[in-house]
DNA sequence: TCTGGGGTCCTAGGACCC
DNA sequence: TCTGGGGTCCTAGGACCC
């Protein structure tokens, strides 16, 4: 290793990930403005660069632009998380080939540790980009810096400036050039600084990323806390936010959905909770955990004329559990009483907290709850896997037809990489 | 008519203890 | 009238991320 060889952090992320995934199996979408919608085809959650250029805002409700869309050739897709999840796993496995230290940060991003001279690192960045493009058909950008915050900044640079061909290593800039770039960027462009903090920072005369980098860390900590102080150090090239191993086990597990049509009766809500309890407990079992407590909530629309109403209930389990029956009982017993008949509830959810590995709770059999011994949750999972989601259910959820309130996805693409019956078809000319 | 679904970390304040 | 000081643990809520 030469003197100029250094350890650096790279951030690799897929451009317009969901929209790019849609294009992989539907090349007609190439070059066209594409948006992907949230559950229930509610809002825009991803936009191709062409859609951004049309001025489509992130989070805009689809119903507000659906009439206008055809006139500009804008195409919408329902979100297809099965496809995105699978392609994401493939991206991450390619990244492992380039570094032993990879932190999967989100569905479309990862931090990697890389070592080399500035020129070598730049070349590695281009090889990563090339590999993911040719093997998966997904476009990525790579940002390289001395800390995660710098890598994020570099990645944003790679996206913005066409001349870099999607790869940016901050070390390639002179100090003067770096000052110039940071001074041109508002502080809320920085990872970790959003609307509220940037407003408070502005009141202290900190407007640009350069202002923040050059601010006094002690004063920053006093006024804004350690999180912002870390950003100051990270901007200066001192890495404070270490690379983490992949977090396979979550500390909180939630299942929450909006309804396709409002739920207005206790009876219906009971059915909703029965289904959600089953689904959230499945997520918990999947990661081998049990939960010590839960919050269950329902809510009316914030956009309706009627006053917003959002009852919730907290419950603690005497013995941590992943049993759907226990979860359902704790969720529905109090919440259902607080549901006011006739109100239009548009969403509900169950949030499990105090989550820990199941093995850490081995009790004498005498104290094992009866449902635990029956392995009810696992049995439900198996039956549903084999015979479909409507084959079996708990209590009010145990009937076979689709429900009115279940979410709608009317523009769903094929789950081409995970379902045999949805393979993509290729036509020869 | 129609407005997402997950997560994380940190801080402030209350309860409680000695 | 005057009414300690330090520590821990827990929870709710704020702020952020994708």
């Amino acid at each position: 290793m030469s003197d100029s060889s250094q350890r650096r952090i790279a951030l690799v992320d897929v451009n317009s990930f969901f929209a790019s995934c849609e294009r992989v199996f539907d090349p007609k979408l190439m070059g066209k403005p594409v948006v992907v919608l949230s559950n229930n085809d509610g809002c825009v959650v991803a936009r191709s660069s062409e859609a951004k250029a049309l001025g489509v805002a992130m989070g805009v409700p689809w119903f507000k632009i659906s009439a206008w869309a055809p006139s500009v050739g804008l195409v919408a897709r329902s979100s297809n998380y099965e496809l995105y999840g699978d392609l994401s796993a493939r991206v991450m496995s390619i990244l492992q080939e380039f570094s032993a230290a990879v932190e999967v940060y989100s569905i479309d991003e990862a931090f990697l540790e890389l070592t080399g001279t500035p020129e070598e690192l730049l070349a590695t960045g281009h090889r990563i980009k090339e590999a993911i493009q040719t093997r998966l058909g997904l476009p990525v950008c790579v940002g390289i810096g001395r800390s995660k915050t710098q890598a994020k900044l570099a990645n944003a640079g790679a996206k913005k400036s066409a001349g870099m061909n999607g790869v940016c290593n901050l070390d390639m800039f002179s100090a003067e050039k770096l000052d110039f770039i940071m001074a041109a960027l508002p502080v809320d462009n920085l990872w970790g600084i959003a609307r509220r903090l940037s407003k408070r920072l502005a009141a202290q005369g900190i407007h640009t990323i350069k202002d923040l980098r050059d601010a006094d860390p002690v004063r920053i900590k006093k006024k804004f806390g350690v999180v912002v102080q870390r950003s100051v150090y990270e901007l200066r090239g001192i890495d404070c936010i270490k690379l983490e191993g992949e977090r396979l086990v979550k500390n909180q597990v939630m299942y929450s959905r909006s309804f396709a049509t409002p739920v207005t009766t206790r009876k219906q809500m009971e059915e909703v909770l029965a289904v959600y309890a089953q689904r959230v407990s499945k997520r918990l079992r999947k990661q081998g955990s049990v939960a010590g407590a839960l919050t269950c909530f329902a809510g009316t629309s914030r956009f309706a004329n009627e006053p917003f109403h959002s009852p919730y209930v907290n419950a603690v389990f005497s013995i941590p559990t992943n049993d759907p029956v226990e979860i359902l009982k704790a969720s529905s017993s109090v919440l259902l009483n607080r549901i006011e008949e006739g109100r239009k509830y548009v969403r509900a959810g169950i949030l499990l907290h105090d989550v820990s590995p199941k093995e850490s709770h081995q009790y004498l059999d005498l104290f094992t709850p009866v449902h635990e011994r029956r392995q009810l949750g696992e049995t439900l999972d198996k039956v549903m896997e084999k015979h479909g989601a409507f084959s079996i259910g708990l209590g009010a959820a145990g009937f076979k037809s689709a429900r009115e309130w279940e979410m709608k996805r009317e523009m769903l693409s094929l789950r081409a990489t995970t379902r045999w019956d949805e393979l993509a078809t290729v036509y020869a000319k």
Side-chain angles (χ1 to χ4, degrees):
Chain A
M1 199 189 286
S2 73
D3 301 348
S4 51
S5 183
Q6 297 139 335
R7 183 190 151 273
R8 291 290 180 263
I9 308 286
L11 175 71
V12 180
D13 87 325
V14 184
N15 307 341
S16 312
F17 181 55
F18 296 171
S20 298
C21 289
E22 293 295 334
R23 283 176 172 161
V24 171
F25 292 99
D26 193 353
K28 287 198 306 290
L29 299 179
M30 212 58 81
K32 283 195 189 151
V34 177
V35 294
V36 175
L37 307 177
S38 60
N39 285 328
N40 275 321
D41 296 338
C43 321
V44 169
V45 292
R47 307 157 295 160
S48 70
S49 58
E50 298 81 359
K52 286 174 197 166
L54 283 175
V56 178
M58 189 69 164
V60 69
W62 174 239
F63 74 85
K64 286 191 177 171
I65 56 170
S66 52
W68 161 78
S71 68
V72 289
L74 179 66
V75 180
R77 288 277 187 267
S78 303
S79 39
N80 184 349
Y81 285 99
E82 203 164 316
L83 177 68
Y84 312 151
D86 185 68
L87 288 175
S88 170
R90 293 172 195 237
V91 170
M92 301 310 167
S93 97
I94 290 177
L95 294 180
Q96 314 273 355
E97 297 170 16
F98 290 88
S99 171
V102 176
E103 176 189 337
V104 177
Y105 179 68
S106 75
I107 192 162
D108 73 325
E109 281 177 67
F111 289 105
L112 281 71
E113 214 172 270
L114 297 175
T115 305
T117 64
E119 293 74 19
E120 286 167 354
L121 292 176
L122 193 66
T124 303
H126 282 291
R127 281 194 291 123
I128 290 174
K129 183 173 169 56
E130 176 89 18
I132 295 174
Q133 180 67 59
T134 54
R135 287 157 67 179
L136 297 177
L138 291 171
V140 305
C141 281
V142 182
I144 301 165
R146 294 165 189 243
S147 62
K148 285 184 172 177
T149 304
Q150 282 198 355
K152 273 273 190 186
L153 190 60
N155 186 281
K159 281 218 173 72
K160 251 178 215 159
S161 142
M164 295 187 182
N165 285 317
V167 182
C168 170
N169 180 358
L170 243 39
D171 277 332
M172 307 292 279
F173 297 118
S174 67
E176 295 73 36
K177 177 79 177 165
L178 208 52
D179 281 0
F180 177 79
I181 294 169
M182 288 188 181
L185 292 171
V187 73
D188 64 355
N189 282 33
L190 196 69
W191 186 47
I193 308 291
R195 216 184 69 240
R196 285 172 208 193
L197 276 172
S198 67
K199 220 168 154 185
R200 287 170 53 207
L201 285 164
Q204 301 292 316
I206 295 169
H207 303 282
T208 68
I209 291 181
K210 180 173 179 296
D211 292 340
L212 184 63
R213 183 198 64 186
D214 298 338
D216 172 18
V218 176
R219 194 173 136 251
I220 291 291
K221 184 178 177 183
K222 227 175 267 167
K223 297 237 181 216
F224 302 97
V226 293
V227 178
V228 181
Q229 186 191 36
R230 272 204 289 261
S231 294
V232 174
Y233 288 127
E234 287 248 322
L235 277 174
R236 297 178 182 189
I238 303 162
D239 72 322
C240 313
I241 310 173
K242 297 294 175 204
L243 223 62
E244 287 175 39
E246 195 178 352
R247 199 189 296 268
L248 292 168
V249 172
K250 308 275 199 292
N251 301 321
Q252 282 180 18
V253 177
M254 168 146 73
Y255 188 89
S256 144
R257 286 287 181 281
S258 299
F259 312 133
T261 56
V263 160
T264 55
T265 65
R266 269 184 208 149
K267 178 100 188 104
Q268 274 180 308
M269 191 60 81
E270 193 181 350
E271 188 185 308
V272 168
L273 295 183
V275 172
Y276 286 17
Q278 210 166 284
R279 293 186 184 160
V280 80
S281 77
K282 180 173 179 182
R283 287 188 178 178
L284 200 58
R285 283 191 299 279
K286 202 170 173 189
Q287 65 166 38
S289 301
V290 289
L294 70 70
T295 303
C296 177
F297 60 91
T300 60
S301 171
R302 292 176 187 278
F303 304 96
N305 288 326
E306 297 125 68
F308 179 63
H309 174 236
S310 180
Y312 69 95
V313 34
N314 291 306
V316 174
F317 298 112
S318 50
I319 298 173
T321 183
N322 62 23
D323 179 357
V325 174
E326 296 282 325
I327 291 170
L328 176 56
K329 251 198 303 189
S331 301
S332 60
S333 63
V334 180
L335 191 79
L336 285 180
N337 293 330
R338 303 211 180 136
I339 295 298
E340 295 171 14
E341 295 264 347
R343 276 192 190 270
K344 289 183 180 159
Y345 293 93
V346 298
R347 65 182 291 117
I350 300 175
L351 173 60
L352 301 174
H353 11 230
D354 199 4
V355 169
S356 56
K358 192 178 177 193
E359 312 84 67
S360 61
H361 302 275
Q362 297 298 350
Y363 296 92
L364 286 174
D365 194 50
L366 186 61
F367 297 110
T368 306
V370 71
H371 296 302
E372 184 95 5
R373 274 181 270 154
R374 283 193 205 139
Q375 304 283 310
L376 188 55
E378 286 83 348
T379 310
L380 273 176
D381 292 348
K382 277 183 203 144
V383 172
M384 286 169 61
E385 200 167 299
K386 201 163 173 191
H387 302 287
F390 296 120
S391 56
I392 191 170
L394 283 181
F399 58 85
K400 296 186 183 193
S401 58
R403 300 127 183 142
E404 278 267 299
W405 45 267
E406 285 274 29
M407 73 175 178
K408 112 191 136 189
R409 291 141 101 197
E410 289 176 344
M411 296 161 279
L412 188 62
S413 50
L414 298 176
R415 293 166 291 189
T417 60
T418 50
R419 304 274 172 151
W420 287 113
D421 52 345
E422 297 185 20
L423 282 176
T425 311
V426 179
Y427 299 95
K429 270 208 162 173

